[in-house]
Amino acid sequence: MTTTTDHHHPITTSEVGGIGHSIKRHEDDRLIQGAGNFVDDIVLPGMLHMTLVRSPWAHATINGIDSSAAEAIDGVVAVVTGELLAEYNLAWMPTLSGDTQAVLATDKVRYQGQEVAGVIATDPYVARDGADAVVVDYDPLPVITNPMQGLESDAPIIRTDLEDKEDNVVYEWEAGDAAATEEAFAKADRVVRVETHYPRSHPAPLETCGIVADVNPGTGETTLYMTSQAPHAHRTIFALVAGLPEQKIRIVSPDLGGGFGNKVPVYPGYVVATAASLVIGKPVKWIETRYENLISTGFARDYYMKGELAVTNEGKILGLKVDMLSDQGAFFADAQPSKLRAGLFEIVTGSYDLQAAHVTTKGVYTNKAPGGVAYRCSFRVTEASYLIERLVQNAAYELEMDPAEFRSMNFIQPDQFPYESATGLVYDSGDYETAMRKAMEMIGYDELRVEQAKAREEGRLVGIGIASFTDIVGAGPSKDYDIIGLKMFDSAELRVHPTGKAILKLGVKTQGQGHETTFAQIVAEELGIPATDIKVVHGDTDNTPYGLGTYGSRSTPVAGAATAIVARNLRDKARDIAAHMLEASADDLEWENGKFSVKGSPDSSVSIQDIAFAAYTNLPEGMEAGLEGVHYYDPPNLTFPFGTYIVAVEIDAGTGQWKVDRMVAVDDCGVRINPMIVEGQIHGGLTEGFAMSNMQSMSFDDDGNCLTAHFDNYMIPTAWETPRFELGETITLSPHHPIGAKGVGESATVGSPAAYVNAIIDALRHMGVTNIDMPVLPDRIWQAIQENAG
Amino acid sequence: MKFTEVIEVDRNPAQVWELFCNVQELALCLPGAELTEDKGDGTYVGNVSAKLGPMSSNFVGECTIVSDNEKMTGSVKGKGMDRSGGSVGLVQVDYAIEASGGGTRVTIDADVTLSGAVAQFGRTAIIQEMSTRLIAEFAACLEAKLAAESAEQAHSIHAAEVKGVSLFFSSLWATIKGWFRRGGDD
């Protein structure tokens, strides 16, 4: 696949606003005027409010729940316990990874913040008072706060609910070829090791999770307004879990204030509110507090990783070995395709052409909240990318080579695509060298190295870190990818109205990515209808075709392809209508700028708007009326965006403080539909990557108390500490995607943490520092300096 | 969180033990504690309130006391919850009374587990320091009671209400001093 420059310039006019135009986001008109409609904005007549009673203990037996004091409070309507749910067979529910999870704890609590009861009241504050009045008698049990403890022979068993479960192992998984990898290691001159913990992080979207559950007592019609990144899949899960007829369930996911994977799982609160509405016969609203969101909803990462890279003295990578322990929390609730136990960790071979790789992973139950969501990453790709980029950088030091040159020697070459990796993935396209050279040029890499040498002589600690990542997004082909059995295709339904305006309905759901704009631009590109004339509808299961939702950067690779294809199908029909209107043969027509004209006589033409009108008023004999269609797209492969990020940092040796002097990010995500939105996505991802490397980690004390239950300890970067980003691009098309796009929402979160940490290690490596675990807080740097100062 | 406190009292062991057997009097010496019910079987219901900086908590719960008159030892097992703050606490206190020089030595081994909101601020060192101060205040109160001229006078002595803010800052200060002390020892 070659890098093209053709796609840097849009084909459509700015009035049409097709692919390549940085048009303003359609959704922002309402969002910036405070006219958005979020779940908490929804108020229904007679609506009640729910607060959940949560466990203060990380692991404790429940002896009894006394809700009499709560029930006596004026305004408290009901207290829902696990015992009550059990009567409806709702005390437990399946997770997205095929495990079971307590909805409301009945036997014991397994993590701090676990849901124990729901108090329903006429007012949210009364519900809160009611929750405080529920007395739960607990007997604390020994606590497991990391996977190493969980594997000890005398460790308490967390999942006593699972029959015959005698340990805390969730799964064991491997990828690659062990024998071939041993062979490669036997040939190596050196083996470079990195052992590190990718800390537990939390997506922490601006809007927390919530629901307004409205079960009509007369008809049983159930409308659930909920914070859902995957409304259709959630509808099916509700039908299966609650035994409700699916045609009576309507899920509406209105405006979402961010998701980042946090709104993929089905949380107990949704189920309890729905059960309460069913039992009471009135709508029930439940909105999480920030505290509840942080302590109980889907976390991300938490991998203890050991990586080994076999290299030759000449600088060639031969093989890779990885062994990991994964902290899964109390229930295995990773939001990922069924067949993947460690997500898409196979991408750990990264951008490098190596002969053999072998990966082993063990997942372990701990007394922490379940989750394992793909926080702005396509299922464990962030951890994989981080490990290989850290290994490669350290291997270069070991061989006394420049990290950029070492990468260059080992990159998969453009003519090797499609490239089958040592773990069995088939990369669609890439040109890693070009992206890296562009980033090096932008940051002035050679000059920076000269300055670094000078700074070191002055006793200053300056470092340059690179990450040349390969991401994998757009799950996925139905033969390999499903979530609880649902194949991971996605859909688009397009209707062109008689006046030439259109409505596009999607199976995916934006959480801020700008779908209402970019998907309109795809239609504008294909049909010539101005993007502003296209309304995009999503997030309402009664009014959109089935889809698996938005996460893992899959909207553009999957639903974007569906949109392009349905638009092309309508264009085929439009051609036949145009032939009828122009009294010409369809074969004699050509398409340009939203018009069909007779070849050789450009004046004889009809616009898409004229054709749309004719579709309802002047059809050829025998043709079905209307101009509409639906397409379900089953991607032939995933897409593999890539790029190179380079970071320059300076460390204060006295305090361990570090600051980013420069941050250059060159991304290649194939065709950029709306470059402004793409850049916004990259800025967001780079900021989140910075936060993970610099300040964020969900931490726990030995008793399982979550020490990062508030934003004072779980820090969110503000404009003050966030570095300035300099962006660049290369464009390598995805050969199998209809418009050559790859998806970009997560590249920057995946790629950037290694760049920041590599820069810090680069500044300290002359002292012998080879690793500091994230988050690289000043005290950790200071400690590393002291330990290596001799 | 485990800690041991040793108090030396200028009274004979029998006098001290007598006080330790009077739970009502003992409770008066525990800052912020209130005994609300004696169930008669060694189980007592009560509450303990404390302020830590901006947080105030009121733990409601019960404890069971088992003591050995001959050995002059005893243990208290308690469990409480702070309803408004979503915190829970478990406490086990073992105490032993023995003659020491002309007076009495009281050894208190406490194991306190706090969970929930109060423990989530990650200020364990401060909580530990605060507990130490509570014990110190408890000891001072015991001494005062034992030194009292009459039973009435002894009964009127009780621990001062826990001054949240001042205790917080003095605990914080002690914690900070502790860091430097440790640093100096290295």
Side-chain angles (χ1 to χ4, degrees), chain A residues 609-635:
Chain A
Q609 288 80 6
D610 299 333
I611 298 167
F613 196 68
Y616 298 88
T617 60
N618 174 24
L619 281 168
E621 183 134 359
M623 184 183 277
E624 198 179 339
L627 191 56
E628 65 179 72
V630 60
H631 185 76
Y632 281 71
Y633 184 79
D634 185 2

PDB file of all heavy atoms in Angstrom, chain A residues 609-635:
ATOM      1  N   GLN A 609     -31.063  16.006  -5.928  1.00  0.00           N
ATOM      2  CA  GLN A 609     -32.318  16.536  -5.373  1.00  0.00           C
ATOM      3  C   GLN A 609     -33.472  16.304  -6.350  1.00  0.00           C
ATOM      4  O   GLN A 609     -34.575  15.927  -5.951  1.00  0.00           O
ATOM      5  CB  GLN A 609     -32.171  18.029  -5.042  1.00  0.00           C
ATOM      6  CG  GLN A 609     -31.299  18.324  -3.813  1.00  0.00           C
ATOM      7  CD  GLN A 609     -29.794  18.284  -4.101  1.00  0.00           C
ATOM      8  OE1 GLN A 609     -29.355  18.141  -5.262  1.00  0.00           O
ATOM      9  NE2 GLN A 609     -28.994  18.415  -3.056  1.00  0.00           N
ATOM     10  N   ASP A 610     -33.200  16.537  -7.672  1.00  0.00           N
ATOM     11  CA  ASP A 610     -34.236  16.277  -8.693  1.00  0.00           C
ATOM     12  C   ASP A 610     -34.606  14.789  -8.679  1.00  0.00           C
ATOM     13  O   ASP A 610     -35.782  14.424  -8.774  1.00  0.00           O
ATOM     14  CB  ASP A 610     -33.712  16.616 -10.104  1.00  0.00           C
ATOM     15  CG  ASP A 610     -33.327  18.081 -10.238  1.00  0.00           C
ATOM     16  OD1 ASP A 610     -33.897  18.908  -9.503  1.00  0.00           O
ATOM     17  OD2 ASP A 610     -32.436  18.385 -11.079  1.00  0.00           O
ATOM     18  N   ILE A 611     -33.596  13.971  -8.584  1.00  0.00           N
ATOM     19  CA  ILE A 611     -33.830  12.518  -8.617  1.00  0.00           C
ATOM     20  C   ILE A 611     -34.649  12.083  -7.393  1.00  0.00           C
ATOM     21  O   ILE A 611     -35.564  11.263  -7.497  1.00  0.00           O
ATOM     22  CB  ILE A 611     -32.482  11.755  -8.674  1.00  0.00           C
ATOM     23  CG1 ILE A 611     -31.719  12.116  -9.952  1.00  0.00           C
ATOM     24  CG2 ILE A 611     -32.701  10.249  -8.574  1.00  0.00           C
ATOM     25  CD1 ILE A 611     -30.260  11.673  -9.970  1.00  0.00           C
ATOM     26  N   ALA A 612     -34.313  12.663  -6.223  1.00  0.00           N
ATOM     27  CA  ALA A 612     -35.042  12.318  -4.999  1.00  0.00           C
ATOM     28  C   ALA A 612     -36.530  12.642  -5.164  1.00  0.00           C
ATOM     29  O   ALA A 612     -37.404  11.856  -4.788  1.00  0.00           O
ATOM     30  CB  ALA A 612     -34.460  13.078  -3.813  1.00  0.00           C
ATOM     31  N   PHE A 613     -36.821  13.803  -5.765  1.00  0.00           N
ATOM     32  CA  PHE A 613     -38.222  14.195  -5.972  1.00  0.00           C
ATOM     33  C   PHE A 613     -38.906  13.192  -6.907  1.00  0.00           C
ATOM     34  O   PHE A 613     -40.020  12.749  -6.659  1.00  0.00           O
ATOM     35  CB  PHE A 613     -38.292  15.620  -6.532  1.00  0.00           C
ATOM     36  CG  PHE A 613     -39.667  16.226  -6.409  1.00  0.00           C
ATOM     37  CD1 PHE A 613     -40.190  16.542  -5.160  1.00  0.00           C
ATOM     38  CD2 PHE A 613     -40.450  16.464  -7.539  1.00  0.00           C
ATOM     39  CE1 PHE A 613     -41.463  17.095  -5.043  1.00  0.00           C
ATOM     40  CE2 PHE A 613     -41.723  17.009  -7.422  1.00  0.00           C
ATOM     41  CZ  PHE A 613     -42.234  17.329  -6.171  1.00  0.00           C
ATOM     42  N   ALA A 614     -38.176  12.829  -7.953  1.00  0.00           N
ATOM     43  CA  ALA A 614     -38.734  11.879  -8.921  1.00  0.00           C
ATOM     44  C   ALA A 614     -38.984  10.510  -8.282  1.00  0.00           C
ATOM     45  O   ALA A 614     -39.890   9.787  -8.694  1.00  0.00           O
ATOM     46  CB  ALA A 614     -37.780  11.747 -10.109  1.00  0.00           C
ATOM     47  N   ALA A 615     -38.177  10.175  -7.280  1.00  0.00           N
ATOM     48  CA  ALA A 615     -38.339   8.869  -6.624  1.00  0.00           C
ATOM     49  C   ALA A 615     -39.702   8.734  -5.966  1.00  0.00           C
ATOM     50  O   ALA A 615     -40.143   7.623  -5.665  1.00  0.00           O
ATOM     51  CB  ALA A 615     -37.231   8.672  -5.585  1.00  0.00           C
ATOM     52  N   TYR A 616     -40.349   9.881  -5.733  1.00  0.00           N
ATOM     53  CA  TYR A 616     -41.679   9.850  -5.113  1.00  0.00           C
ATOM     54  C   TYR A 616     -42.761  10.356  -6.072  1.00  0.00           C
ATOM     55  O   TYR A 616     -43.946  10.305  -5.766  1.00  0.00           O
ATOM     56  CB  TYR A 616     -41.685  10.712  -3.844  1.00  0.00           C
ATOM     57  CG  TYR A 616     -40.722  10.210  -2.787  1.00  0.00           C
ATOM     58  CD1 TYR A 616     -39.385  10.640  -2.777  1.00  0.00           C
ATOM     59  CD2 TYR A 616     -41.122   9.288  -1.823  1.00  0.00           C
ATOM     60  CE1 TYR A 616     -38.492  10.167  -1.839  1.00  0.00           C
ATOM     61  CE2 TYR A 616     -40.229   8.819  -0.868  1.00  0.00           C
ATOM     62  CZ  TYR A 616     -38.906   9.255  -0.880  1.00  0.00           C
ATOM     63  OH  TYR A 616     -38.025   8.786   0.057  1.00  0.00           O
ATOM     64  N   THR A 617     -42.357  10.882  -7.241  1.00  0.00           N
ATOM     65  CA  THR A 617     -43.340  11.531  -8.115  1.00  0.00           C
ATOM     66  C   THR A 617     -43.290  11.054  -9.568  1.00  0.00           C
ATOM     67  O   THR A 617     -44.277  11.161 -10.288  1.00  0.00           O
ATOM     68  CB  THR A 617     -43.102  13.061  -8.136  1.00  0.00           C
ATOM     69  OG1 THR A 617     -41.777  13.300  -8.637  1.00  0.00           O
ATOM     70  CG2 THR A 617     -43.274  13.668  -6.757  1.00  0.00           C
ATOM     71  N   ASN A 618     -42.144  10.564  -9.997  1.00  0.00           N
ATOM     72  CA  ASN A 618     -41.980  10.295 -11.426  1.00  0.00           C
ATOM     73  C   ASN A 618     -41.041   9.113 -11.619  1.00  0.00           C
ATOM     74  O   ASN A 618     -39.885   9.267 -12.007  1.00  0.00           O
ATOM     75  CB  ASN A 618     -41.423  11.572 -12.097  1.00  0.00           C
ATOM     76  CG  ASN A 618     -41.095  11.331 -13.562  1.00  0.00           C
ATOM     77  OD1 ASN A 618     -41.646  10.425 -14.211  1.00  0.00           O
ATOM     78  ND2 ASN A 618     -40.181  12.132 -14.103  1.00  0.00           N
ATOM     79  N   LEU A 619     -41.567   7.923 -11.327  1.00  0.00           N
ATOM     80  CA  LEU A 619     -40.712   6.733 -11.365  1.00  0.00           C
ATOM     81  C   LEU A 619     -40.838   6.000 -12.693  1.00  0.00           C
ATOM     82  O   LEU A 619     -41.896   6.028 -13.313  1.00  0.00           O
ATOM     83  CB  LEU A 619     -41.135   5.766 -10.263  1.00  0.00           C
ATOM     84  CG  LEU A 619     -40.679   6.067  -8.851  1.00  0.00           C
ATOM     85  CD1 LEU A 619     -41.438   5.181  -7.884  1.00  0.00           C
ATOM     86  CD2 LEU A 619     -39.183   5.833  -8.719  1.00  0.00           C
ATOM     87  N   PRO A 620     -39.756   5.349 -13.087  1.00  0.00           N
ATOM     88  CA  PRO A 620     -39.904   4.470 -14.244  1.00  0.00           C
ATOM     89  C   PRO A 620     -40.892   3.339 -13.914  1.00  0.00           C
ATOM     90  O   PRO A 620     -40.996   2.934 -12.750  1.00  0.00           O
ATOM     91  CB  PRO A 620     -38.503   3.911 -14.469  1.00  0.00           C
ATOM     92  CG  PRO A 620     -37.682   4.318 -13.332  1.00  0.00           C
ATOM     93  CD  PRO A 620     -38.412   5.345 -12.551  1.00  0.00           C
ATOM     94  N   GLU A 621     -41.547   2.876 -14.906  1.00  0.00           N
ATOM     95  CA  GLU A 621     -42.544   1.820 -14.723  1.00  0.00           C
ATOM     96  C   GLU A 621     -41.937   0.593 -14.015  1.00  0.00           C
ATOM     97  O   GLU A 621     -40.837   0.148 -14.369  1.00  0.00           O
ATOM     98  CB  GLU A 621     -43.072   1.397 -16.095  1.00  0.00           C
ATOM     99  CG  GLU A 621     -44.156   0.376 -15.971  1.00  0.00           C
ATOM    100  CD  GLU A 621     -45.351   0.720 -16.864  1.00  0.00           C
ATOM    101  OE1 GLU A 621     -45.319   1.746 -17.548  1.00  0.00           O
ATOM    102  OE2 GLU A 621     -46.307  -0.076 -16.836  1.00  0.00           O
ATOM    103  N   GLY A 622     -42.643   0.107 -13.015  1.00  0.00           N
ATOM    104  CA  GLY A 622     -42.209  -1.119 -12.339  1.00  0.00           C
ATOM    105  C   GLY A 622     -41.212  -0.902 -11.220  1.00  0.00           C
ATOM    106  O   GLY A 622     -40.880  -1.839 -10.496  1.00  0.00           O
ATOM    107  N   MET A 623     -40.711   0.321 -11.063  1.00  0.00           N
ATOM    108  CA  MET A 623     -39.719   0.549  -9.995  1.00  0.00           C
ATOM    109  C   MET A 623     -40.422   0.831  -8.666  1.00  0.00           C
ATOM    110  O   MET A 623     -41.440   1.521  -8.642  1.00  0.00           O
ATOM    111  CB  MET A 623     -38.797   1.717 -10.345  1.00  0.00           C
ATOM    112  CG  MET A 623     -37.691   1.926  -9.317  1.00  0.00           C
ATOM    113  SD  MET A 623     -36.665   3.349  -9.686  1.00  0.00           S
ATOM    114  CE  MET A 623     -35.522   2.658 -10.870  1.00  0.00           C
ATOM    115  N   GLU A 624     -39.855   0.269  -7.618  1.00  0.00           N
ATOM    116  CA  GLU A 624     -40.394   0.500  -6.279  1.00  0.00           C
ATOM    117  C   GLU A 624     -40.177   1.975  -5.912  1.00  0.00           C
ATOM    118  O   GLU A 624     -39.114   2.529  -6.207  1.00  0.00           O
ATOM    119  CB  GLU A 624     -39.638  -0.397  -5.297  1.00  0.00           C
ATOM    120  CG  GLU A 624     -40.307  -0.623  -3.983  1.00  0.00           C
ATOM    121  CD  GLU A 624     -39.502  -1.547  -3.061  1.00  0.00           C
ATOM    122  OE1 GLU A 624     -38.652  -2.309  -3.593  1.00  0.00           O
ATOM    123  OE2 GLU A 624     -39.703  -1.509  -1.861  1.00  0.00           O
ATOM    124  N   ALA A 625     -41.167   2.573  -5.265  1.00  0.00           N
ATOM    125  CA  ALA A 625     -41.062   3.996  -4.922  1.00  0.00           C
ATOM    126  C   ALA A 625     -40.045   4.218  -3.815  1.00  0.00           C
ATOM    127  O   ALA A 625     -39.662   3.295  -3.104  1.00  0.00           O
ATOM    128  CB  ALA A 625     -42.428   4.521  -4.501  1.00  0.00           C
ATOM    129  N   GLY A 626     -39.652   5.485  -3.682  1.00  0.00           N
ATOM    130  CA  GLY A 626     -38.784   5.877  -2.579  1.00  0.00           C
ATOM    131  C   GLY A 626     -37.306   5.764  -2.929  1.00  0.00           C
ATOM    132  O   GLY A 626     -36.918   5.176  -3.944  1.00  0.00           O
ATOM    133  N   LEU A 627     -36.517   6.404  -2.059  1.00  0.00           N
ATOM    134  CA  LEU A 627     -35.068   6.327  -2.231  1.00  0.00           C
ATOM    135  C   LEU A 627     -34.484   6.055  -0.845  1.00  0.00           C
ATOM    136  O   LEU A 627     -34.117   6.985  -0.113  1.00  0.00           O
ATOM    137  CB  LEU A 627     -34.541   7.648  -2.826  1.00  0.00           C
ATOM    138  CG  LEU A 627     -33.094   7.660  -3.321  1.00  0.00           C
ATOM    139  CD1 LEU A 627     -32.818   6.580  -4.355  1.00  0.00           C
ATOM    140  CD2 LEU A 627     -32.739   9.030  -3.895  1.00  0.00           C
ATOM    141  N   GLU A 628     -34.513   4.830  -0.491  1.00  0.00           N
ATOM    142  CA  GLU A 628     -34.016   4.481   0.830  1.00  0.00           C
ATOM    143  C   GLU A 628     -33.481   3.055   0.849  1.00  0.00           C
ATOM    144  O   GLU A 628     -33.816   2.241  -0.020  1.00  0.00           O
ATOM    145  CB  GLU A 628     -35.096   4.658   1.904  1.00  0.00           C
ATOM    146  CG  GLU A 628     -36.295   3.723   1.786  1.00  0.00           C
ATOM    147  CD  GLU A 628     -37.300   3.958   2.919  1.00  0.00           C
ATOM    148  OE1 GLU A 628     -37.968   5.006   2.879  1.00  0.00           O
ATOM    149  OE2 GLU A 628     -37.396   3.117   3.817  1.00  0.00           O
ATOM    150  N   GLY A 629     -32.648   2.810   1.859  1.00  0.00           N
ATOM    151  CA  GLY A 629     -32.071   1.477   1.973  1.00  0.00           C
ATOM    152  C   GLY A 629     -31.398   1.293   3.316  1.00  0.00           C
ATOM    153  O   GLY A 629     -31.243   2.238   4.098  1.00  0.00           O
ATOM    154  N   VAL A 630     -31.027   0.068   3.579  1.00  0.00           N
ATOM    155  CA  VAL A 630     -30.311  -0.233   4.809  1.00  0.00           C
ATOM    156  C   VAL A 630     -29.185  -1.189   4.443  1.00  0.00           C
ATOM    157  O   VAL A 630     -29.340  -2.014   3.529  1.00  0.00           O
ATOM    158  CB  VAL A 630     -31.260  -0.830   5.876  1.00  0.00           C
ATOM    159  CG1 VAL A 630     -31.919  -2.116   5.407  1.00  0.00           C
ATOM    160  CG2 VAL A 630     -30.530  -1.080   7.197  1.00  0.00           C
ATOM    161  N   HIS A 631     -28.045  -1.036   5.106  1.00  0.00           N
ATOM    162  CA  HIS A 631     -26.956  -1.970   4.847  1.00  0.00           C
ATOM    163  C   HIS A 631     -26.311  -2.410   6.156  1.00  0.00           C
ATOM    164  O   HIS A 631     -26.033  -1.597   7.030  1.00  0.00           O
ATOM    165  CB  HIS A 631     -25.888  -1.349   3.944  1.00  0.00           C
ATOM    166  CG  HIS A 631     -24.819  -2.337   3.566  1.00  0.00           C
ATOM    167  ND1 HIS A 631     -25.026  -3.313   2.615  1.00  0.00           N
ATOM    168  CD2 HIS A 631     -23.567  -2.537   4.042  1.00  0.00           C
ATOM    169  CE1 HIS A 631     -23.942  -4.063   2.526  1.00  0.00           C
ATOM    170  NE2 HIS A 631     -23.035  -3.617   3.372  1.00  0.00           N
ATOM    171  N   TYR A 632     -26.116  -3.721   6.249  1.00  0.00           N
ATOM    172  CA  TYR A 632     -25.385  -4.293   7.382  1.00  0.00           C
ATOM    173  C   TYR A 632     -24.012  -4.680   6.881  1.00  0.00           C
ATOM    174  O   TYR A 632     -23.890  -5.487   5.975  1.00  0.00           O
ATOM    175  CB  TYR A 632     -26.129  -5.515   7.937  1.00  0.00           C
ATOM    176  CG  TYR A 632     -27.291  -5.143   8.817  1.00  0.00           C
ATOM    177  CD1 TYR A 632     -28.453  -4.585   8.284  1.00  0.00           C
ATOM    178  CD2 TYR A 632     -27.217  -5.318  10.202  1.00  0.00           C
ATOM    179  CE1 TYR A 632     -29.513  -4.226   9.102  1.00  0.00           C
ATOM    180  CE2 TYR A 632     -28.275  -4.965  11.022  1.00  0.00           C
ATOM    181  CZ  TYR A 632     -29.432  -4.425  10.469  1.00  0.00           C
ATOM    182  OH  TYR A 632     -30.463  -4.068  11.294  1.00  0.00           O
ATOM    183  N   TYR A 633     -22.978  -4.092   7.480  1.00  0.00           N
ATOM    184  CA  TYR A 633     -21.625  -4.288   6.981  1.00  0.00           C
ATOM    185  C   TYR A 633     -20.851  -5.233   7.891  1.00  0.00           C
ATOM    186  O   TYR A 633     -20.734  -5.012   9.104  1.00  0.00           O
ATOM    187  CB  TYR A 633     -20.908  -2.938   6.919  1.00  0.00           C
ATOM    188  CG  TYR A 633     -19.516  -3.022   6.319  1.00  0.00           C
ATOM    189  CD1 TYR A 633     -19.335  -3.106   4.945  1.00  0.00           C
ATOM    190  CD2 TYR A 633     -18.383  -2.993   7.138  1.00  0.00           C
ATOM    191  CE1 TYR A 633     -18.062  -3.173   4.396  1.00  0.00           C
ATOM    192  CE2 TYR A 633     -17.109  -3.061   6.594  1.00  0.00           C
ATOM    193  CZ  TYR A 633     -16.964  -3.152   5.223  1.00  0.00           C
ATOM    194  OH  TYR A 633     -15.704  -3.216   4.680  1.00  0.00           O
ATOM    195  N   ASP A 634     -20.345  -6.274   7.290  1.00  0.00           N
ATOM    196  CA  ASP A 634     -19.517  -7.247   8.008  1.00  0.00           C
ATOM    197  C   ASP A 634     -18.078  -7.033   7.537  1.00  0.00           C
ATOM    198  O   ASP A 634     -17.731  -7.405   6.422  1.00  0.00           O
ATOM    199  CB  ASP A 634     -20.005  -8.663   7.662  1.00  0.00           C
ATOM    200  CG  ASP A 634     -19.259  -9.730   8.468  1.00  0.00           C
ATOM    201  OD1 ASP A 634     -18.408  -9.380   9.313  1.00  0.00           O
ATOM    202  OD2 ASP A 634     -19.546 -10.922   8.238  1.00  0.00           O
ATOM    203  N   PRO A 635     -17.254  -6.401   8.346  1.00  0.00           N
ATOM    204  CA  PRO A 635     -15.914  -6.046   7.849  1.00  0.00           C
ATOM    205  C   PRO A 635     -15.077  -7.282   7.530  1.00  0.00           C
ATOM    206  O   PRO A 635     -15.108  -8.252   8.281  1.00  0.00           O
ATOM    207  CB  PRO A 635     -15.297  -5.255   9.009  1.00  0.00           C
ATOM    208  CG  PRO A 635     -16.088  -5.632  10.207  1.00  0.00           C
ATOM    209  CD  PRO A 635     -17.458  -6.010   9.739  1.00  0.00           C
TER     210      PRO A 635
END
